[in-house]
Amino acid sequence: MTEPSPTPDGIVADSAGNWVDTIAPKITRPFLRLSRADRPIGTWLLYVPCLWGLALAILATGRYSTHDLWTIVGCGIGAFLMRGAGCTWNDITDRDIDGQVARTRSRPIPSGQVSVKGALVWMTLQAILAFFILLTFYPTAIWLGIIALLPVAIYPFAKRFTWWPQIFLGLAFNWGALLAWAAHTNTLSWSPFVLYLAGIAWTLFYDTIYAHQDTEDDALIGVKSTARLFGDKSKVWLRGFLVAVLALMGLAVVLACQDRSVLSLVIALGGPWALGWHLSWQLSRFNPEDDAGLLKLFWSNRNAGLLPLPFFAIALFV
């Protein structure tokens, strides 16, 4: 990989020209970059499983209320805050590794824009604000939100001890499927657990694509990833993850729609079909040597994750 050019005003090398760089107050920019506010795809990938979980919960119960509208808004704000807190924690733990990787050495901590102490304060503030939102949900959802801190805390260390750090990312990023279901029902059942597994398979798919950008640097410094593990066989593994996403989300839909009409079930099953179509499109364009293309494929997973929602919404009214 080529060395990044020095960036003015602390701009992160692989994320320039965004709203943080152009309109955010200058004093806030390093902290917003720590939270990845300059690249919202991570917030979307954390938020989308929440929408899946809530949609299937509404399908399962056949009822909805204004509380569900707040769940949509609250999960969105919470996803932004907790993604920011998680990224800040990730940068604190990875500050020495990031300084050795071309794509990440311009991040706020390794580049000296933010101290570790300042980053810890910023992380805590974001987590506290997210906790206040969590307190507006049902008790089961509150406890799930607290438990979610465990995979969030472990994930940054996973690439040091396993070739499968993407599993730990999936455990953290898809927890919203459980939490949002509980925010509607104040309980859990098999459907959200299966949906959670579908989300983990989805994370393995998109983050393996993303990790292929760093395979050279990761190999030099000894950082593990599924991209390095799979190597030339990545496309075969990606196809397996695609099938797992389809099968598991389809099963979650069936479990949620047990008391609904056949037509409602068929329409709802269009959700995993649409997601599978998009993942197949990504797979057809996967080229591990094209960093720019890999990043675009990764970004496209926001749209991929949103595709099931219209099918779930229509199925509710059939």
Side-chain angles (χ1 to χ4, degrees):
M1 284 190 182
T2 58
E3 295 288 317
S5 301
T7 54
D9 192 30
I11 293 174
V12 176
D14 63 344
S15 178
N18 53 75
W19 74 274
V20 173
D21 297 337
T22 56
I23 65 174
K26 193 170 182 177
I27 194 172
T28 67
R29 290 176 187 175
F31 296 97
L32 291 172
R33 289 168 186 145
L34 263 182
S35 299
R36 308 290 195 276
D38 53 344
R39 49 189 94 186
I41 179 61
T43 298
W44 279 108
L45 294 176
L46 190 62
Y47 183 39
V48 164
C50 300
L51 298 178
W52 292 350
L54 178 61
L56 288 194
I58 292 173
L59 276 173
T61 61
R63 57 178 173 80
Y64 53 90
S65 67
T66 54
H67 180 74
D68 296 315
L69 292 176
W70 167 243
T71 299
I72 293 172
V73 174
C75 283
I77 299 171
F80 177 81
L81 291 169
M82 284 309 298
R83 190 262 182 142
C87 286
T88 304
W89 172 241
N90 185 79
D91 281 11
I92 291 169
T93 60
D94 280 0
R95 58 190 183 276
D96 295 329
I97 293 175
D98 285 346
Q100 302 176 61
V101 177
R103 188 176 58 83
T104 59
R105 63 175 57 132
S106 55
R107 286 179 177 175
I109 296 177
S111 64
Q113 299 172 61
V114 178
S115 67
V116 173
K117 183 178 180 180
L120 284 168
V121 172
W122 178 238
M123 178 190 71
T124 302
L125 176 61
Q126 293 172 96
I128 289 173
L129 291 174
F131 182 67
F132 284 139
I133 293 173
L134 185 65
L135 291 177
T136 66
F137 295 156
Y138 288 129
T140 303
I142 293 173
W143 281 111
L144 283 169
I146 294 171
I147 295 170
L149 293 175
L150 183 61
V152 170
I154 293 174
Y155 166 67
F157 303 101
K159 56 183 168 287
R160 295 166 170 84
F161 63 80
T162 178
W163 286 101
W164 294 82
Q166 279 71 23
I167 288 182
F168 288 86
L169 181 66
L171 290 170
F173 257 58
N174 295 282
W175 199 263
L178 302 173
L179 193 152
W181 178 287
H184 176 79
T185 65
N186 197 28
T187 187
L188 287 172
S189 67
W190 282 111
S191 181
F193 279 112
V194 176
L195 184 65
Y196 180 51
L197 294 177
I200 293 171
W202 180 44
T203 302
L204 281 163
F205 182 92
Y206 67 65
D207 206 60
T208 296
I209 291 175
Y210 184 79
H212 267 281
Q213 298 174 92
D214 297 330
T215 50
E216 292 181 17
D217 285 330
D218 287 350
L220 287 173
I221 61 179
V223 168
K224 298 177 174 67
S225 73
T226 50
R228 286 190 62 207
L229 177 64
F230 302 154
D232 294 339
K233 296 182 179 178
S234 286
K235 201 161 189 175
V236 175
W237 281 92
L238 290 173
R239 188 174 291 110
F241 296 144
L242 189 163
V243 172
V245 173
L246 272 171
L248 290 166
M249 182 178 281
L251 178 57
V253 168
V254 170
L255 291 170
C257 294
Q258 291 182 73
D259 297 325
R260 303 195 65 83
S261 68
V262 173
L263 180 58
S264 178
L265 171 60
V266 170
I267 292 173
L269 285 172
W273 171 84
L275 175 57
W277 174 86
H278 198 294
L279 298 186
S280 296
W281 172 83
Q282 291 182 50
L283 189 61
S284 70
R285 285 157 177 77
F286 172 71
N287 177 2
E289 304 302 321
D290 178 12
D291 286 356
L294 292 169
L295 191 58
K296 288 179 181 178
L297 288 178
F298 172 71
W299 285 341
S300 75
N301 279 279
R302 180 202 66 174
N303 294 341
L306 292 173
L307 283 174
L309 296 175
F311 292 90
F312 296 160
I314 295 169
L316 178 63
F317 298 101
V318 174

